Amino acid sequence: MANRSTAMPTKIAERTDSRPTVFGWKERVRPLVLVALAATAVIAPMWLFGDASGHDFQFHMASWVEMVRQWHEGILFPRWAEWANWGYGEPRFIFYPPASRILGAVLGLILPWRAVASAYTWLVLVGSGMAMWTLAREWLSQDEAVAAAIFFAVNPYSLVLVYYRSDFAELLVVALFPLLILAVLRIMQEGWARVPFFALVFAAVWMCDAPAAVVATYSTALLLIVAYAVENKRNILLSGAAGIVCGFGLAAFYVLPAAYEQKWSNLGFTVRGNYQFVQNFLFSRIGDPDFRLFNLRISAIALGIVFVCALLALFAARRPNMRTPSWLLIALGGSSVFMMIRASSFLWHVLPEMKFVQFPWRWLDAIAPIFAFLAAGACTGRKKRWLVWTCMLVLIGGTGTAIARTAWWDRDSAKDIATWVRWGIGYDGTDEFAPPRSDRYALYGVNPSLEQPPIDSIAIATEFDAASKTLVPASDVRIHVERWTGERRVFTEESTRPVNLALRLLTYPAWRACVDGRYVTMRTTPAGTVWLPIPAGSHGIDLAFQRTWDRTVGAAISVISAILLLAWTLRKRLALRES
């Protein structure tokens, strides 16, 4: 057992034997109710002003609506976003992790679209608070663990993600970060027996948000290295490495296709212009005025969080019975602060995939649980404790109010996107997910209209003029659509002359075209859309989004990894019963 008189132990302290390691539902009710009330306070402005329409709001809302539409078509795990780019589509579901869009789509099945964003936010904030409570109860008293859960659920960076960014995917990663830290602690305490739990949490992070998952991966590696340095047990590194490998194995159904098919997209756009990390260090003066203003706001919030953490750490160091994984918190907090300032630029250049994090302030993902932990456990004495907790709630409440007052509120975006998809109009696409040779700004007839278009304008809109290399309205062409879904388009074409039939579809290698039962080569217009040379007469055309080898292999790896981890868990449980 750790020495209770040591303020900052050199070893990772163990919890007291008298504290229960298993909590029943009664012990969970109080933190759950209080965290739910805190989360309700966060979403309350949405009932009055509409959705907080941050940077990524329309992207996520469109993905949720698209998922529901394709579920109704019988596609359980969509890969192609049919209605992106106003009906030309894009492969966003291959590259963007699935967790946030699945949760949002499930809510969209049971709630009006106007209420989905607030319900999503509420659920994730409640989940994040309970994840923090699960971590904090290992080292703090019951009251302190509840306070940590509340502080984490409404921490300033989560408020930024809710009100300014509308980054619902990264919000999920923040919610999982306490469990990731707990998984490392379990590896330290129990070694190989905890690899399945570690792998499951690690895989869940990667299925939420890729840039934040890169932050989480490097944070995990750092925690394992520090744990090894403190405990001097090689088993920590070996079991931790096994957990990371197994975690990637579980997430391979998403990670492998996203990595392999990068060459089929414009993902390089994610690290250009205002999205380069060199323009997003704290208090950067690079970029357009709006970008600089946002950088100033989030830099001030980050500086405030770091200052409060440093102040609370001083109180924690003076507390005689503060048993914490201190060196882990120091290493994680210090490295995260360093990665947000320009002095760390050389690491951003050399560390693999680090450039795709885009924004250095995303390292607040790792600082947020430290902030909550220190705020809950920094003081001894009930009077001092309640004074500090009251000050923290006032500080968080003031910060949240200031953020909410400068956020952009919108009552109509969710309804409009759902209406456009239902009418077959579609929604705006993204630069980074478009195929390399496409130009989504030059697509034919992409100006949206609130008038419901006929089905023919969705299926076949134009004819490609090979001489002028332009698209012109199709004439003397009759189209009969037999089937039209996100991954399959079957129709007949009839004309009295040969036609270069231009399809309302961006070129992507996974699409295959059959004309009269024979595979044909799909050709590409200058804008990056598909066109097919069709002889005169009546012809059956079948376009299908086929499964590529990387998706098949990725799914197989995930299934094998899940079976191995399940067998591993069952074996350990049987061994415990026999002993």
Side-chain angles (χ1 to χ4, degrees):
M1 185 180 301
N3 188 347
R4 297 174 62 92
S5 64
T6 303
M8 299 291 285
T10 57
K11 296 280 185 178
I12 306 300
E14 298 179 358
R15 60 177 179 264
T16 58
D17 294 335
S18 60
R19 184 173 297 130
T21 59
V22 178
F23 286 77
W25 67 270
K26 292 183 179 180
E27 288 80 8
R28 300 175 189 272
V29 169
R30 184 164 68 108
L32 180 60
V33 170
L34 293 176
V35 168
L37 290 174
T40 302
V42 172
I43 68 167
M46 300 180 188
W47 301 338
L48 301 175
F49 308 117
D51 292 315
S53 186
H55 303 159
D56 296 343
F57 180 82
Q58 292 191 356
F59 173 87
H60 286 286
M61 181 59 65
S63 297
W64 301 344
V65 174
E66 178 84 61
M67 284 282 288
V68 172
R69 173 70 177 253
Q70 296 202 31
W71 283 349
H72 287 311
E73 295 174 348
I75 304 171
L76 297 181
F77 193 68
R79 294 290 192 164
W80 182 264
E82 175 185 1
W83 295 107
N85 294 306
W86 311 107
Y88 284 88
E90 68 181 16
R92 69 166 60 186
F93 295 150
I94 290 177
F95 301 105
Y96 208 85
S100 63
R101 70 174 187 263
I102 291 175
L103 176 56
V106 169
L107 293 174
L109 288 173
I110 58 179
L111 296 173
W113 286 112
R114 167 65 183 80
V116 170
S118 57
Y120 180 106
T121 301
W122 187 86
L123 285 174
V124 176
L125 291 182
V126 171
S128 67
M130 295 308 295
M132 187 68 212
W133 177 79
T134 304
L135 172 66
R137 68 186 175 90
E138 296 288 313
W139 313 99
L140 303 176
S141 68
Q142 270 296 297
D143 288 343
E144 291 167 343
V146 172
I150 296 172
F151 294 151
F152 186 68
V154 296
N155 76 85
Y157 186 57
S158 289
L159 299 181
V160 168
L161 294 176
V162 170
Y163 292 127
Y164 280 161
R165 296 274 295 139
S166 294
D167 194 338
F168 298 102
E170 187 176 353
L171 192 65
L172 275 177
V173 176
V174 174
L176 288 171
F177 228 101
L179 297 183
L180 193 62
I181 297 174
L182 181 63
V184 174
L185 293 172
R186 290 282 190 262
I187 286 290
M188 294 174 59
Q189 295 164 354
E190 303 177 46
W192 294 97
R194 287 296 182 168
V195 167
F197 173 66
F198 182 99
L200 186 63
V201 176
F202 188 82
V205 168
W206 270 97
M207 287 186 283
C208 292
D209 183 69
V214 174
V215 171
T217 300
Y218 281 111
S219 298
T220 302
L222 175 68
L223 291 175
L224 291 171
I225 293 172
V226 172
Y228 168 72
V230 172
E231 297 289 333
N232 195 25
K233 295 180 181 178
R234 188 176 59 178
N235 189 47
I236 293 175
L237 290 182
L238 295 177
S239 54
I244 291 175
V245 172
C246 292
F248 275 123
L250 288 175
F253 72 95
Y254 153 70
V255 174
L256 182 58
Y260 177 76
E261 297 186 27
Q262 284 187 38
K263 59 186 178 182
W264 297 344
S265 71
N266 282 324
L267 283 183
F269 277 99
T270 61
V271 290
R272 295 181 185 177
N274 290 330
Y275 300 103
Q276 299 178 80
F277 66 84
V278 295
Q279 296 189 195
N280 289 281
F281 288 111
L282 297 188
F283 298 102
S284 174
R285 298 182 180 181
I286 306 175
D288 60 63
D290 289 339
F291 228 78
R292 289 200 301 270
L293 177 60
F294 175 74
N295 181 275
L296 178 62
R297 287 173 176 171
I298 198 167
S299 296
I301 292 170
L303 184 62
I305 293 173
V306 172
F307 175 77
V308 171
C309 284
L311 187 63
L312 292 171
L314 293 177
F315 282 100
R318 298 172 57 186
R319 178 175 171 177
N321 63 338
M322 182 65 171
R323 306 170 319 281
T324 68
S326 52
W327 287 112
L328 294 185
L329 299 185
I330 291 171
L332 183 59
S335 62
S336 299
V337 172
F338 179 70
M339 293 301 293
M340 292 190 291
I341 62 176
R342 192 168 296 277
S344 66
S345 180
F346 71 98
L347 288 176
W348 287 82
H349 282 287
V350 300
L351 292 177
E353 306 303 320
M354 183 60 75
K355 64 180 180 180
F356 288 106
V357 175
Q358 300 172 305
F359 312 122
W361 37 261
R362 273 190 164 132
W363 281 86
L364 288 170
D365 291 341
I367 295 179
I370 300 174
F371 167 86
F373 189 93
L374 291 175
C379 292
T380 57
R382 188 170 294 273
K383 291 183 178 180
K384 289 183 178 180
R385 184 183 305 162
W386 282 105
L387 177 62
V388 172
W389 291 354
T390 301
C391 291
M392 289 300 301
L393 288 175
V394 171
L395 176 63
I396 293 173
T399 302
T401 301
I403 294 173
R405 292 186 63 181
T406 53
W408 179 266
W409 300 92
D410 192 332
R411 294 182 181 273
D412 300 323
S413 286
K415 180 183 67 176
D416 288 346
I417 292 171
T419 300
W420 292 347
V421 171
R422 185 174 66 253
W423 286 359
I425 295 172
Y427 52 87
D428 199 11
T430 55
D431 291 328
E432 59 267 29
F433 298 139
R437 292 187 293 171
S438 64
D439 182 1
R440 69 186 190 91
Y441 301 102
L443 298 177
Y444 184 92
V446 297
N447 294 326
S449 168
L450 291 180
E451 297 180 0
Q452 186 169 355
I455 187 65
D456 285 356
S457 70
I458 299 173
I460 306 297
T462 53
E463 181 179 354
F464 180 63
D465 186 344
S468 62
K469 295 185 178 180
T470 59
L471 298 179
V472 297
S475 59
D476 302 326
V477 177
R478 289 187 295 275
I479 301 296
H480 175 67
V481 175
E482 299 177 5
R483 181 179 181 184
W484 190 270
T485 68
E487 296 184 355
R488 187 83 181 272
R489 288 96 190 269
V490 181
F491 56 92
T492 58
E493 179 271 345
E494 186 176 344
S495 63
T496 58
R497 60 182 176 84
V499 176
N500 292 332
L501 204 60
L503 310 179
R504 202 171 182 84
L505 180 68
L506 289 179
T507 303
Y508 195 75
W511 281 102
R512 296 289 186 270
C514 284
V515 177
D516 297 331
R518 296 181 179 180
Y519 283 106
V520 298
T521 301
M522 295 190 300
R523 306 187 184 186
T524 306
T525 69
T529 60
V530 174
W531 70 274
L532 299 172
I534 307 296
S538 179
H539 303 278
I541 300 173
D542 187 342
L543 293 127
F545 192 76
Q546 297 185 340
R547 175 179 290 275
T548 52
W549 73 265
D550 52 284
R551 278 179 266 157
T552 301
V553 173
I557 292 174
S558 294
V559 170
I560 293 172
S561 299
I563 293 174
L564 291 176
L565 288 173
L566 181 61
W568 193 332
T569 302
L570 293 176
R571 180 184 176 186
K572 290 294 182 182
R573 288 188 176 183
L574 289 174
L576 287 175
R577 289 181 181 179
E578 292 176 357
S579 62

